[in-house]
């Protein structure tokens, strides 16, 4: 399960070996649960607690994983505070959450992002923070460059159906990203005529149950909004973006979305398809940036 989380393991071990306190904070509740599970597998001898909405009974452990909102519980608590997805809503641009995070950390911060924002890059230029770029995935395979298909919305729907059926026959699951909840509601109904499908968005009441069904392969396809663009790792998942030229899909969002593909050591390949009526600047920038990242890694290996 390669990702930014695993890159932090050595730092976590180093601080814990010194008897120091480590916290891991992420903006979104679903990602908190994902990261906590991965840390439990990586550190089975340690206690790990997740602190988020619906998970506040246990608030202390060897490793604490929480939403950035929940950091108010930990003033001056962490010698190492890992802030994941610092460019994600609602943390980005939120001075209150940033102040709470600053108060929670008495030592060092480790800031993680696949798509750092302009504010973070400005701090790098001012030498207030140090930047380390790591484009190579731990399994050494390149990032998935999405295939962009420009067609009408009606044909986009047929392509989504075709791909979900095709991937199911290949033993693969599909994440279908849609820009709005209304798109997801009718997309779920249509796809369910062909493959077992569910739909998840920010207002979904039973998010955990739906994600568990998908992880347990009880669903062939999962329609989702950008709620699942970050932090979620599903082995062998394929990604299709519907209406990729919609304004909700920014360059950073698309890079994160296609980053869901090929994360497993056992299956580092995969397909990413971006459906659109016209290739937007965000789509072009996404393809360009992912290609440059792969080229950077390739060039480094040739030195």
């Amino acid at each position: 399960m390669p990702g930014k989380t695993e890159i932090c393991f050595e730092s976590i071990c180093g601080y814990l070996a010194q008897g120091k306190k480590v916290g891991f904070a992420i903006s979104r509740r679903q990602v908190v649960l994902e990261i906590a599970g991965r840390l439990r597998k990586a550190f089975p001898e340690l206690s790990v607690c997740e602190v988020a909405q619906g998970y506040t009974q246990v608030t202390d452990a060897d490793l604490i994983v929480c939403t950035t909102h929940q950091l108010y519980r930990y003033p001056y608590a962490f010698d190492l505070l890992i802030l994941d997805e610092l460019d994600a809503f609602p943390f980005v641009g939120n001075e209150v959450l940033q102040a709470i995070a600053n108060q929670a950390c008495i030592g060092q911060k480790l800031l993680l992002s696949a798509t750092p924002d302009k504010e973070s890059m400005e701090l790098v230029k001012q030498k207030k923070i140090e930047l380390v770029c790591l484009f190579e995935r731990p399994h050494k395979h390149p990032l998935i460059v999405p295939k962009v298909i420009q067609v009408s919305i009606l044909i986009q729907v047929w392509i989504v159906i075709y791909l979900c059926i095709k991937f199911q026959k290949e033993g693969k699951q599909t994440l279908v990203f849609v820009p709005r909840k209304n798109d997801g509601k009718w997309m779920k109904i249509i796809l369910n005529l062909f493959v077992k499908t569910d739909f998840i968005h920010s207002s979904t009441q039973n998010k955990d149950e739906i994600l568990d069904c998908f992880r347990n392969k009880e669903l062939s396809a999962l329609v989702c909004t950008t709620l699942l663009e970050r932090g979620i790792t599903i082995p062998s998942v394929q990604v299709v973006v519907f209406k990729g030229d919609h304004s909700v899909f920014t360059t950073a969002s698309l890079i994160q979305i296609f980053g869901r593909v090929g994360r497993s050591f056992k299956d580092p390949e995969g397909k990413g398809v971006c459906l659109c009526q016209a290739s937007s600047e965000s789509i072009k920038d996404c393809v360009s940036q992912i290609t440059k990242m792969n080229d950077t890694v390739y060039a480094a290996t040739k030195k």
Side-chain angles (χ1 to χ4, degrees):
M1 299 288 195
K4 299 188 302 301
T5 305
E6 287 70 22
I7 291 172
C8 299
F9 284 176
E10 190 170 344
S11 296
I12 291 172
C13 290
Y15 273 82
L16 292 179
Q18 299 175 54
K20 295 184 176 181
K21 198 70 173 177
V22 177
F24 205 117
I26 314 110
S27 294
R28 299 185 183 183
R29 174 183 177 276
Q30 289 305 133
V31 186
V32 167
L33 305 183
E34 170 86 17
I35 297 297
R38 284 155 69 179
L39 289 174
R40 283 194 181 93
K41 289 182 180 179
F43 301 101
E45 71 283 3
L46 299 178
S47 60
V48 179
C49 72
E50 52 271 270
V51 184
Q53 180 185 9
Y55 292 82
T56 56
Q57 295 81 11
V58 179
T59 58
D60 191 26
D62 296 321
L63 284 172
I64 297 170
V65 188
C66 65
T67 57
T68 49
H69 282 84
Q70 295 290 341
L71 283 172
Y72 81 89
R73 298 176 181 272
Y74 305 100
Y76 315 108
F78 300 116
D79 298 289
L80 174 65
L81 177 59
I82 302 168
L83 282 168
D84 197 3
E85 308 294 3
L86 71 153
D87 60 312
F89 176 85
F91 187 77
V92 63
N94 190 316
E95 294 182 1
V96 174
L97 289 179
Q98 291 172 9
I100 292 172
N102 288 335
Q103 186 184 51
C105 182
I106 57 174
Q108 286 187 312
K109 291 195 197 78
L110 187 54
L111 312 176
L112 307 178
S113 177
T115 51
D117 57 13
K118 292 181 180 179
E119 182 180 341
S120 299
M121 295 309 295
E122 184 60 33
L123 292 175
V124 172
K125 289 181 181 179
Q126 297 173 11
K127 299 189 182 300
K128 292 183 179 179
I129 60 176
E130 186 175 348
L131 176 67
V132 177
C133 294
L134 297 170
F135 293 140
E136 186 178 41
R137 285 179 158 183
H139 54 44
K140 309 298 182 183
H141 288 258
L143 297 162
I144 302 303
V145 180
K147 180 179 181 180
V148 180
I149 302 176
Q150 300 180 50
V151 290
S152 68
I153 290 177
L154 179 60
I155 296 178
Q156 287 183 45
V157 175
W158 281 110
I159 292 175
V160 171
I161 295 169
Y162 165 77
L163 289 174
C164 288
I165 295 173
K166 177 178 181 289
F167 294 148
Q168 178 184 249
K169 289 179 178 178
E170 295 172 354
K172 306 290 180 69
Q173 294 173 286
T174 310
L175 278 176
V176 180
F177 283 86
V178 296
R180 298 295 180 195
K181 286 190 283 186
N182 285 340
D183 296 306
K185 290 175 182 176
W186 60 258
M187 182 67 78
K188 171 190 171 182
I189 294 171
I190 292 173
L191 282 178
N192 253 325
L193 298 173
F194 303 93
V195 296
K196 192 167 184 182
T197 308
D198 211 332
F199 173 44
I200 188 171
H201 54 86
S202 60
S203 302
T204 301
Q205 296 298 313
N206 57 333
K207 296 184 187 74
D208 297 344
E209 291 84 351
I210 292 174
L211 279 174
D212 284 343
C213 285
F214 193 60
R215 288 193 179 96
N216 294 332
K217 300 187 182 301
E218 296 170 25
L219 298 169
S220 292
L222 180 59
V223 181
C224 58
T225 59
T226 54
L227 173 74
L228 297 187
E229 73 178 29
R230 298 166 183 264
I232 300 298
T233 296
I234 307 291
S236 299
V237 77
Q238 317 294 288
V239 166
V240 180
V241 176
F242 173 70
K243 291 185 181 178
D245 47 349
H246 193 285
S247 59
V248 75
F249 293 122
T250 63
T251 300
S253 175
L254 290 170
I255 290 173
Q256 293 283 357
I257 285 170
F258 291 112
R260 301 309 98 206
V261 185
R263 297 170 70 85
S264 170
F265 274 93
K266 293 182 179 179
D267 188 8
E269 305 293 339
K271 302 292 184 183
V273 179
C274 185
L275 303 173
C276 58
Q277 290 181 283
S279 186
S280 65
E281 287 302 312
S282 294
I283 293 172
K284 293 175 184 175
D285 288 345
C286 167
V287 173
S288 175
Q289 288 192 35
I290 292 176
T291 302
K292 286 179 181 177
M293 291 177 195
N294 287 338
D295 289 344
T296 299
V297 172
Y298 178 76
T301 60
K302 293 299 181 181
K303 289 183 179 179

